[in-house]
Amino acid sequence: MSVTLAEHVRAVAGAEATELDVVLTRIAGAGRLIARELARAALVGQLGMTGDTNVQGEPVKKLDLWSNQVIVDALAATGLVCTMVSEEMAEPLHLADRCATARYVVCFDPVDGSSNLDVNGVVGTIFGIRRRTAGAEHVAVDAIQPGGAQIAAGYIMYGPATVLVLTLGKDVDAFTLGAPDGEFLRSHAGLRMPPHGHTYSANDANATHWVPGVREFLDHLRSGGTGRTYTARYAGSLVGDFHRTLIEGGIFLYPAETTSAGKLRLQYEAAPVAFLAERAGGRATTGREAVTAIRPTSYHQRVALIVGSPDEVTLAEAFIAARR
Ligand code: AHG
Ligand code: MN
Ligand code: MN
């Protein structure tokens, strides 16, 4: 008999099982709606741009905005979330009327990999859940808690199957949507990232901008320096690229560049993925420090992300450190 997401959460979430069941069931429900909308987007005028740009100066797609609202509504309906941080909202959204009963802060990227939307490529939704703090100024404090403060993190991958990958701080499990209106059923229990893999994943077009050591590291992999052979895969969606790395091992890099910290956003892209990787036996670093140890200074802070199997991530760090 398959275990549903709700049954799983109630069994493993400990003292907060009731509350986390509500929040995660709503996130899963939002994922079900987003999956359905993605499937019919071309038929209902949901592809393309809104004409606006977001706080990061990036063009906003219709599905970015639509999905953001679906997740905001889902989290608001729980009554348990009072602060939300999203790629598509310049400032944290604070539901002041929820403060008395709300326990949680949720950071999310409603549609990750938006450049894939118009070409029917893989996209995802990423989320991280933290406890709120109690002080009068709690919103500003809550929204920049480090990745290590997450009590749950995960993503929903909209691929050939819709798959929700989740950690409640211990194991990493995956749940596959059985039918468009159905349940997420546990399909992978206790996922472990292999100690090393045979795939590297990076946007090679940026190679001339990367900080020293990254190109040398990838050359080392290509030339058989580890004694293993490698292949390259890059989907252009962190969710898709990380999911493969989680299942098969290897390494994903969106490194720092000589003139910037990196592209990915800490609070709703890098931190949840890093938290999942660590729970599955993998590692996640900027090249200098663990991603989950970073204390953010702003909601939309960008960060370098090198994540994957411990052998490859440790080797990448050594190459970067040697050329610092
Ligand atoms: P988003 O669509 O939420 O803005 O995120 C895109 C991110 C991430 O999904 C992916 O790993 C990376 O940007 C791809 O960037 P490049 O196109 O620069 O390779
Ligand atoms: Mn993203
Ligand atoms: Mn996004």
Side-chain angles (χ1 to χ4, degrees):
M1 205 33 201
S2 302
V3 175
T4 67
L5 174 66
E7 288 166 351
H8 172 86
V9 173
R10 287 197 292 268
V12 305
E16 285 170 84
T18 308
E19 290 81 2
L20 286 173
D21 176 22
V22 172
V23 175
L24 289 162
T25 296
R26 288 286 184 174
I27 290 174
R32 200 183 285 119
L33 290 176
I34 293 169
R36 196 185 305 156
E37 197 71 359
L38 288 169
R40 61 177 197 156
L43 301 174
V44 294
Q46 279 280 47
L47 295 182
M49 308 290 179
T50 63
D52 293 327
T53 52
N54 67 16
V55 64
Q56 2 240 334
E58 294 167 349
V60 178
K61 301 212 161 180
K62 291 180 192 172
L63 281 164
D64 286 327
L65 218 57
W66 184 89
S67 305
N68 186 66
Q69 195 59 49
V70 167
I71 298 173
V72 166
D73 291 346
L75 294 174
T78 66
L80 294 166
V81 176
C82 73
T83 302
M84 305 178 204
V85 176
S86 163
E87 177 181 352
E88 305 305 336
M89 301 191 293
E91 296 293 323
L93 176 64
H94 181 231
L95 305 177
D97 58 326
R98 302 292 202 287
C99 266
T101 48
R103 291 185 176 209
Y104 302 117
V105 182
V106 182
C107 300
F108 57 93
D109 179 357
V111 179
D112 172 66
S114 310
S115 74
N116 284 348
L117 284 171
D118 294 346
V119 298
N120 196 28
V122 66
V123 294
T125 295
I126 310 175
F127 60 90
I129 304 175
R130 295 168 177 78
R131 292 192 186 94
R132 58 157 291 189
T133 56
E137 300 300 318
H138 75 91
V139 180
V141 174
D142 289 346
I144 55 169
Q145 294 181 72
Q150 291 169 113
I151 56 167
Y155 56 83
I156 304 166
M157 177 179 176
Y158 309 103
T162 298
V163 177
L164 189 153
V165 176
L166 172 71
T167 183
L168 291 157
K170 202 161 169 273
D171 293 337
V172 176
D173 302 279
F175 303 82
T176 299
L177 187 59
D181 293 319
E183 296 269 5
F184 281 92
L185 302 173
R186 195 167 64 199
S187 48
H188 305 69
L191 280 168
R192 301 300 294 170
M193 201 179 273
H196 53 76
H198 58 86
T199 305
Y200 65 83
S201 184
N203 187 341
D204 191 59
N206 300 327
T208 55
H209 305 296
W210 290 338
V211 291
V214 179
R215 285 164 80 176
E216 292 84 350
F217 164 68
L218 289 177
D219 284 343
H220 183 77
L221 298 190
R222 290 182 189 110
S223 61
T226 63
R228 296 187 293 275
T229 53
Y230 282 84
T231 190
R233 293 282 185 277
Y234 190 72
S237 152
L238 174 61
V239 166
D241 285 315
F242 177 74
H243 192 69
R244 181 194 53 253
T245 309
L246 174 65
I247 305 277
E248 295 188 342
I251 188 165
F252 169 87
L253 309 92
Y254 213 111
E257 302 191 351
T258 47
T259 55
S260 75
K263 174 183 181 184
L264 299 175
R265 280 59 55 106
L266 177 56
Q267 288 304 69
Y268 41 82
E269 292 179 321
V273 159
F275 194 72
L276 283 163
E278 290 174 354
R279 278 6 184 225
R283 297 193 56 215
T285 176
T286 64
R288 286 175 173 264
E289 62 183 323
V291 170
T292 51
I294 299 171
R295 297 199 157 271
T297 53
S298 63
Y299 316 127
H300 300 288
Q301 182 167 331
R302 294 181 192 267
V303 70
L305 176 65
I306 300 175
V307 62
S309 293
D311 289 2
E312 281 90 345
V313 174
T314 302
L315 191 58
E317 275 177 330
F319 270 82
I320 293 168
R323 286 160 183 79
R324 193 168 289 151

